[in-house]
Amino acid sequence: MDNQPNNFESLFEKAGDYLETRVELWKLKATQKSSDIVSTIASKLISICLLMLFVMLVNIGIALLLGEWLGKPYYGFLALAGFYLIAGLIFSAFKNKWVKDPVTHAIIKKIYS
C-alpha cells in the first residue's frame, strides 16, 4: 500500500511535466508563426516601398514627356492625374475582390498552415 501513493505522485509529476512540455511547444509554435508572419510583412513592405519609388519616378518622367508632347509641362501631369482618377475609381469598385479577399485568405492560410 505504501507503493500506491508513490505511483500517484509519479503519475501527477509526469502529467505536470507533460503539460509543461505542451505549453512550451505551443509557445514555440506561436513564436515561429508570429516571426514568420512579421518577417513576411516586413519583406513585402520593403518591396512595396521600392516599387512605389520606382513607379513614382517613372510617372514623373511620363508626365514630363506627355507635357512636352501636349505643349505645356503641366498638361502631362493633368493627363496623368486624370488617368489615375479613372484607375482609382475602377479600383474602388473592385477593391474587395482584388485586395481585401485575397489578403484575408493569405493571412488565414499563413496562420493555419
Side-chain angles (χ1 to χ4, degrees), residues 11-95:
L11 180 65
F12 283 126
E13 187 177 306
K14 287 181 182 179
D17 289 344
Y18 175 76
L19 184 60
E20 286 177 26
T21 303
R22 293 292 294 177
V23 167
E24 188 66 28
L25 181 62
W26 182 83
K27 286 179 184 177
L28 291 172
K29 285 183 177 182
T31 302
Q32 180 187 12
K33 280 283 185 207
S34 61
S35 65
D36 185 40
I37 290 170
V38 168
S39 66
T40 300
I41 289 172
S43 67
K44 289 197 185 281
L45 281 175
I46 291 170
S47 297
I48 288 170
C49 286
L50 291 172
L51 181 65
M52 286 175 54
L53 182 62
F54 170 77
V55 168
M56 184 180 68
L57 292 172
V58 167
N59 277 307
I60 291 171
I62 290 172
L64 291 172
L65 181 65
L66 283 174
E68 188 176 315
W69 288 347
L70 296 173
K72 302 259 187 207
Y74 58 88
Y75 286 169
F77 286 95
L78 290 174
L80 210 52
F83 168 77
Y84 279 115
L85 176 64
I86 293 169
L89 292 172
I90 292 170
F91 176 78
S92 180
F94 294 102
K95 67 182 169 200

